[in-house]
Protein backbone atom coordinates (compact mmCIF):
# COMPACT_ATOMS: atom_id res chain seq x y z
CA UNK A 1 0.00 0.00 0.00
CA UNK A 2 1.49 3.28 -1.05
CA UNK A 3 1.47 6.42 1.03
CA UNK A 4 -0.98 8.12 -1.30
CA UNK A 5 -3.58 5.36 -1.17
CA UNK A 6 -3.43 5.19 2.64
CA UNK A 7 -3.85 8.93 2.92
CA UNK A 8 -6.81 8.84 0.55
CA UNK A 9 -8.52 6.12 2.57
CA UNK A 10 -7.97 8.05 5.79
CA UNK A 11 -9.39 11.23 4.30
CA UNK A 12 -12.39 9.28 2.97
CA UNK A 13 -13.16 8.05 6.49
CA UNK A 14 -12.81 11.59 7.81
CA UNK A 15 -15.15 13.03 5.17
CA UNK A 16 -17.76 10.33 5.83
CA UNK A 17 -17.66 11.08 9.56
CA UNK A 18 -17.99 14.82 8.92
CA UNK A 19 -21.25 14.30 7.08
CA UNK A 20 -22.82 12.18 9.81
CA UNK A 21 -24.81 13.50 12.75
CA UNK A 22 -22.90 13.74 16.02
CA UNK A 23 -23.89 11.20 18.69
CA UNK A 24 -22.13 12.85 21.62
CA UNK A 25 -24.47 13.52 24.54
CA UNK A 26 -23.93 16.92 26.08
CA UNK A 27 -23.64 15.82 29.71
CA UNK A 28 -24.55 17.26 32.22
CA UNK A 29 -26.97 19.42 30.23
CA UNK A 30 -28.54 16.24 28.88
CA UNK A 31 -28.67 13.20 31.15
CA UNK A 32 -28.20 9.77 29.61
CA UNK A 33 -31.07 7.31 29.37
CA UNK A 34 -29.91 4.36 31.44
CA UNK A 35 -31.37 0.85 31.32
CA UNK A 36 -33.78 0.09 34.18
CA UNK A 37 -31.40 -2.48 35.71
CA UNK A 38 -28.33 -0.26 35.72
CA UNK A 39 -25.97 -0.78 38.65
CA UNK A 40 -25.37 2.72 39.91
CA UNK A 41 -25.47 2.74 43.71
CA UNK A 42 -27.07 0.64 46.44
CA UNK A 43 -30.13 1.99 48.20
CA UNK A 44 -31.10 0.99 51.74
CA UNK A 45 -34.69 0.41 52.86
CA UNK A 46 -34.00 0.72 56.57
CA UNK A 47 -37.38 -0.53 57.77
CA UNK A 48 -36.68 -4.01 56.35
CA UNK A 49 -33.19 -4.34 57.82
CA UNK A 50 -32.99 -6.74 60.79
CA UNK A 51 -29.21 -6.39 61.31
CA UNK A 52 -28.65 -10.04 60.41
CA UNK A 53 -25.15 -9.08 59.13
CA UNK A 54 -25.52 -11.45 56.18
CA UNK A 55 -24.68 -8.79 53.60
CA UNK A 56 -21.55 -7.70 55.47
CA UNK A 57 -20.34 -11.31 55.85
CA UNK A 58 -20.90 -12.19 52.20
CA UNK A 59 -19.34 -9.01 50.77
CA UNK A 60 -16.05 -10.05 49.06
CA UNK A 61 -14.56 -6.57 49.54
CA UNK A 62 -15.66 -6.06 53.15
CA UNK A 63 -16.94 -2.61 52.25
CA UNK A 64 -20.16 -2.73 54.33
CA UNK A 65 -20.02 -1.43 57.90
CA UNK A 66 -22.89 -2.17 60.30
CA UNK A 67 -23.28 -1.22 63.97
CA UNK A 68 -26.25 -2.08 66.17
CA UNK A 69 -27.40 -2.58 69.74
CA UNK A 70 -30.01 -4.76 71.42
CA UNK A 71 -33.25 -3.34 72.79
CA UNK A 72 -35.73 -5.02 75.12
CA UNK A 73 -39.32 -5.09 73.90
CA UNK A 74 -42.08 -5.41 76.54
CA UNK A 75 -44.48 -8.34 76.22
CA UNK A 76 -47.41 -7.88 73.89
CA UNK A 77 -49.84 -9.50 76.33
CA UNK A 78 -49.95 -9.62 80.15
CA UNK A 79 -47.92 -12.51 81.47
CA UNK A 80 -45.83 -12.78 78.29
CA UNK A 81 -42.09 -12.81 77.98
CA UNK A 82 -39.93 -9.84 77.12
CA UNK A 83 -38.18 -10.00 73.79
CA UNK A 84 -34.97 -8.45 72.52
CA UNK A 85 -34.43 -7.06 69.05
CA UNK A 86 -31.52 -5.53 67.16
CA UNK A 87 -31.66 -1.81 66.47
CA UNK A 88 -29.62 -0.44 63.57
CA UNK A 89 -27.16 2.30 64.54
CA UNK A 90 -24.98 2.52 61.44
CA UNK A 91 -25.12 1.18 57.92
CA UNK A 92 -22.42 2.47 55.58
CA UNK A 93 -20.98 1.34 52.24
CA UNK A 94 -17.52 2.33 51.01
CA UNK A 95 -18.01 2.76 47.28
CA UNK A 96 -14.27 3.23 46.83
CA UNK A 97 -13.94 -0.51 47.60
CA UNK A 98 -17.27 -1.74 46.22
CA UNK A 99 -16.96 -3.66 42.95
CA UNK A 100 -20.73 -3.63 42.26
CA UNK A 101 -21.08 -7.41 42.25
CA UNK A 102 -24.57 -7.27 43.81
CA UNK A 103 -23.98 -10.16 46.21
CA UNK A 104 -25.25 -8.13 49.17
CA UNK A 105 -28.52 -7.44 47.36
CA UNK A 106 -28.99 -11.08 46.38
CA UNK A 107 -28.32 -12.56 49.82
CA UNK A 108 -30.47 -10.07 51.79
CA UNK A 109 -33.39 -12.20 53.04
CA UNK A 110 -35.62 -9.22 53.88
CA UNK A 111 -35.33 -7.05 50.73
CA UNK A 112 -33.53 -4.17 52.42
CA UNK A 113 -31.00 -3.45 49.63
CA UNK A 114 -31.79 -2.43 46.04
CA UNK A 115 -29.94 -1.28 42.96
CA UNK A 116 -30.43 2.36 42.02
CA UNK A 117 -29.45 3.81 38.62
CA UNK A 118 -28.11 6.94 40.35
CA UNK A 119 -24.50 7.52 39.30
CA UNK A 120 -23.74 11.14 40.16
CA UNK A 121 -21.87 10.66 43.41
CA UNK A 122 -18.30 11.50 42.43
CA UNK A 123 -16.11 13.08 45.12
CA UNK A 124 -12.80 14.89 45.11
CA UNK A 125 -11.66 12.99 48.20
CA UNK A 126 -11.73 9.19 48.23
CA UNK A 127 -12.66 9.21 51.90
CA UNK A 128 -15.96 10.88 51.04
CA UNK A 129 -17.06 7.83 49.04
CA UNK A 130 -18.12 6.09 52.26
CA UNK A 131 -21.81 6.91 52.40
CA UNK A 132 -23.86 6.47 55.55
CA UNK A 133 -27.42 5.20 55.86
CA UNK A 134 -28.97 8.67 55.42
CA UNK A 135 -27.50 8.95 51.93
CA UNK A 136 -28.35 5.34 51.15
CA UNK A 137 -31.90 6.10 52.25
CA UNK A 138 -32.11 9.01 49.80
CA UNK A 139 -30.99 6.77 46.96
CA UNK A 140 -33.74 4.33 47.84
CA UNK A 141 -36.33 6.70 46.33
CA UNK A 142 -34.56 6.58 42.96
CA UNK A 143 -34.96 2.80 42.69
CA UNK A 144 -37.20 2.02 39.68
CA UNK A 145 -40.24 -0.19 39.98
CA UNK A 146 -39.66 -3.87 39.21
CA UNK A 147 -40.61 -5.01 35.72
CA UNK A 148 -43.92 -6.82 35.35
CA UNK A 149 -43.68 -10.62 35.51
CA UNK A 150 -43.37 -12.54 32.28
CA UNK A 151 -46.74 -13.99 31.34
CA UNK A 152 -45.06 -17.04 29.77
CA UNK A 153 -42.91 -17.74 32.84
CA UNK A 154 -43.65 -20.57 35.25
CA UNK A 155 -45.62 -19.57 38.32
CA UNK A 156 -43.50 -19.42 41.50
CA UNK A 157 -43.89 -22.41 43.81
CA UNK A 158 -44.98 -20.24 46.74
CA UNK A 159 -47.76 -18.59 44.75
CA UNK A 160 -48.86 -21.92 43.29
CA UNK A 161 -49.07 -23.51 46.76
CA UNK A 162 -51.04 -20.54 48.11
CA UNK A 163 -53.38 -20.69 45.12
CA UNK A 164 -54.04 -24.41 45.63
CA UNK A 165 -54.81 -23.82 49.30
CA UNK A 166 -57.18 -20.97 48.46
CA UNK A 167 -58.95 -23.05 45.79
CA UNK A 168 -59.32 -25.95 48.23
CA UNK A 169 -60.88 -23.72 50.89
CA UNK A 170 -63.19 -22.13 48.34
CA UNK A 171 -64.33 -25.60 47.20
CA UNK A 172 -64.97 -26.66 50.81
CA UNK A 173 -67.01 -23.52 51.50
CA UNK A 174 -68.99 -24.04 48.30
CA UNK A 175 -69.70 -27.66 49.31
CA UNK A 176 -70.85 -26.56 52.76
CA UNK A 177 -73.12 -23.90 51.30
CA UNK A 178 -74.52 -26.42 48.82
CA UNK A 179 -75.13 -28.95 51.62
CA UNK A 180 -77.10 -26.57 53.87
CA UNK A 181 -80.23 -26.36 51.66
CA UNK A 182 -80.33 -30.17 51.46
CA UNK A 183 -80.34 -30.41 55.23
CA UNK A 184 -83.10 -27.81 55.37
CA UNK A 185 -85.09 -29.72 52.83
CA UNK A 186 -84.69 -32.88 54.90
CA UNK A 187 -85.92 -31.05 57.96
CA UNK A 188 -88.89 -29.77 55.99
CA UNK A 189 -89.71 -33.29 54.85
CA UNK A 190 -89.43 -34.48 58.46
CA UNK A 191 -91.73 -31.80 59.84
CA UNK A 192 -95.04 -33.68 59.28
CA UNK A 193 -93.73 -36.68 61.23
CA UNK A 194 -92.52 -34.46 64.04
CA UNK A 195 -95.81 -32.61 64.10
CA UNK A 196 -97.64 -35.95 64.29
CA UNK A 197 -95.50 -37.07 67.23
CA UNK A 198 -96.13 -33.77 69.01
CA UNK A 199 -99.84 -34.10 68.35
CA UNK A 200 -99.84 -37.64 69.73
CA UNK A 201 -97.99 -36.56 72.88
CA UNK A 202 -100.49 -33.75 73.35
CA UNK A 203 -103.39 -36.13 73.03
CA UNK A 204 -101.81 -38.48 75.58
CA UNK A 205 -101.41 -35.58 77.99
CA UNK A 206 -105.04 -34.61 77.53
CA UNK A 207 -106.14 -38.19 78.13
CA UNK A 208 -104.10 -38.26 81.32
CA UNK A 209 -105.80 -35.11 82.55
CA UNK A 210 -109.24 -36.64 81.85
CA UNK A 211 -108.38 -39.93 83.59
CA UNK A 212 -110.94 -41.52 85.88
CA UNK A 213 -110.97 -40.39 89.51
CA UNK A 214 -109.51 -42.78 91.95
CA UNK A 215 -106.38 -43.54 89.94
CA UNK A 216 -103.33 -43.01 92.08
CA UNK A 217 -101.67 -39.71 91.51
CA UNK A 218 -104.78 -38.09 90.01
CA UNK A 219 -107.05 -35.84 92.14
CA UNK A 220 -110.64 -37.03 92.31
CA UNK A 221 -113.47 -37.87 94.58
CA UNK A 222 -111.68 -40.75 96.32
CA UNK A 223 -108.34 -38.92 96.84
CA UNK A 224 -107.40 -35.97 98.86
CA UNK A 225 -106.63 -32.92 96.82
Amino acid sequence: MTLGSGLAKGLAVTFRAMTRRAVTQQYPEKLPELPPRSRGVIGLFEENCTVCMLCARECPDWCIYIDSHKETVPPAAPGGRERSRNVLDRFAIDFALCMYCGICIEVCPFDALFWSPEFEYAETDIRDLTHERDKLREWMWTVPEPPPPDTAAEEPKEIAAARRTADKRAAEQAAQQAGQPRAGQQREHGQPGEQGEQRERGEQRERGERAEPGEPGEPGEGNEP
Side-chain angles (χ1 to χ4, degrees), residues 2 33 39 49 51 61 81 83-84 88-89 91 131 139 143 152 157 169 184 191 198 210:
T2 61
E33 296 180 1
R39 296 190 175 189
C49 182
V51 200
D61 292 334
R81 295 174 55 187
R83 302 177 60 186
S84 63
L88 184 65
D89 294 329
F91 194 106
H131 295 288
W139 284 333
V143 174
K157 296 180 180 179
R169 291 180 179 176
Q191 275 182 1
Q198 293 177 359
R210 294 195 300 270

Side-chain angles (χ1 to χ4, degrees), residues 203-220:
E203 292 175 355
Q204 292 176 358
R205 191 179 302 110
E206 291 178 359
R207 287 196 297 270
E209 292 176 355
R210 294 195 300 270
E212 295 180 0
E215 292 184 1
E218 294 293 338

Side-chain angles (χ1 to χ4, degrees), residues 45-148:
F45 191 60
E46 187 175 339
E47 286 77 3
N48 287 358
C49 182
T50 60
V51 200
C52 65
M53 305 294 293
L54 191 58
C55 57
R57 289 197 301 265
E58 297 294 334
C59 178
D61 292 334
W62 292 81
C63 63
I64 300 177
Y65 312 108
I66 300 176
D67 294 331
S68 65
H69 70 276
K70 289 189 177 295
E71 187 178 78
T72 303
V73 181
R81 295 174 55 187
E82 294 183 347
R83 302 177 60 186
S84 63
R85 67 176 181 179
N86 294 322
V87 179
L88 184 65
D89 294 329
R90 185 195 183 199
F91 194 106
I93 299 178
D94 187 356
F95 286 97
L97 298 176
C98 179
M99 64 179 184
Y100 304 92
C101 63
I103 293 178
C104 58
I105 298 176
E106 294 177 2
V107 300
C108 180
F110 301 104
D111 292 336
L113 298 175
F114 296 87
W115 278 118
S116 167
E118 185 68 28
F119 64 94
E120 296 178 318
Y121 57 97
E123 301 290 346
T124 57
D125 192 347
I126 193 173
R127 291 172 294 184
D128 295 336
L129 286 174
T130 302
H131 295 288
E132 301 292 334
R133 62 177 183 175
D134 295 337
K135 188 65 176 178
L136 302 179
R137 174 78 174 191
E138 294 178 6
W139 284 333
M140 183 62 205
W141 308 122
T142 62
V143 174
E145 295 183 1

Side-chain angles (χ1 to χ4, degrees), residues 182-195:
R182 297 195 193 98
Q185 292 175 2
Q186 292 176 0
R187 285 195 297 269
E188 290 177 0
H189 290 310
Q191 275 182 1
E194 294 177 359
Q195 292 178 356

